[in-house]
Amino acid sequence: MPRAVTLIRSAALSDVAEYAYAATAPAEARLIFLAGACPLNEDGSTAAVGDYAGQAAKAVENMRTALKDAGASLDDVISTRVLVASTRQEDLGTAWKVVRDAFGDHDVPSTLMGVTVLGYHDQLVEIESVAAVLDA
């Protein structure tokens, strides 16, 4: 099945970033705007309390589920914003590694941000995303 998302890399920008700097989707693509994927278990409890990597993994898992329910997958994501409740770059890096690894070769444009607090008790990570699909 053809993909709607085209990742754009620039030779004029640093290659240090582990993501494409831009992405496009054609006009006929259906856009999917996901709520922030949180590290919540099915019963509403926060998963992996105190564990940035564990919470990032659970958030990715929940994002995959929301994407599947919308008729998409991680390969259809056009951008992400990863929010990490920490002022320490190493905590941001820990969460980012999990998210980045989940996307593999589909290195979508992303923003990684440290924030003061997130919405759920003991929550450390949240992943916002937008996807684009070509419906048959």
Side-chain angles (χ1 to χ4, degrees):
M1 169 187 257
R3 296 284 180 196
V5 177
T6 300
L7 301 178
I8 300 166
R9 291 164 181 79
S10 174
L13 297 172
S14 171
D15 64 357
V16 171
E18 295 180 308
Y19 47 80
Y21 279 98
T24 63
E28 65 271 17
R30 177 171 55 93
L31 297 179
I32 303 166
F33 298 87
L34 281 80
C38 299
L40 298 179
N41 295 312
E42 200 170 316
D43 66 2
S45 63
T46 302
V49 173
D51 179 2
Y52 288 94
Q55 286 202 8
K58 183 61 176 178
V60 168
E61 177 186 326
N62 289 343
M63 182 173 54
R64 284 182 198 267
T65 299
L67 285 164
K68 182 179 176 189
D69 290 345
S73 71
L74 287 182
D75 288 336
D76 298 309
V77 172
I78 196 166
S79 69
T80 69
R81 181 177 301 134
V82 181
L83 309 172
V84 181
S86 179
T87 59
R88 297 171 12 127
Q89 283 184 320
E90 52 268 28
D91 295 335
L92 277 68
T94 296
W96 171 250
K97 181 173 179 2
V98 172
V99 174
R100 177 67 193 90
D101 288 352
F103 278 92
D105 291 337
H106 187 65
D107 55 343
V108 300
S110 298
T111 299
L112 176 62
M113 298 173 56
V115 298
T116 304
V117 66
L118 291 165
Y120 292 99
H121 186 67
D122 293 323
Q123 182 183 0
L124 300 173
V125 178
E126 187 163 335
I127 308 167
E128 296 177 10
S129 59
V130 177
V133 296
L134 296 171
D135 292 320

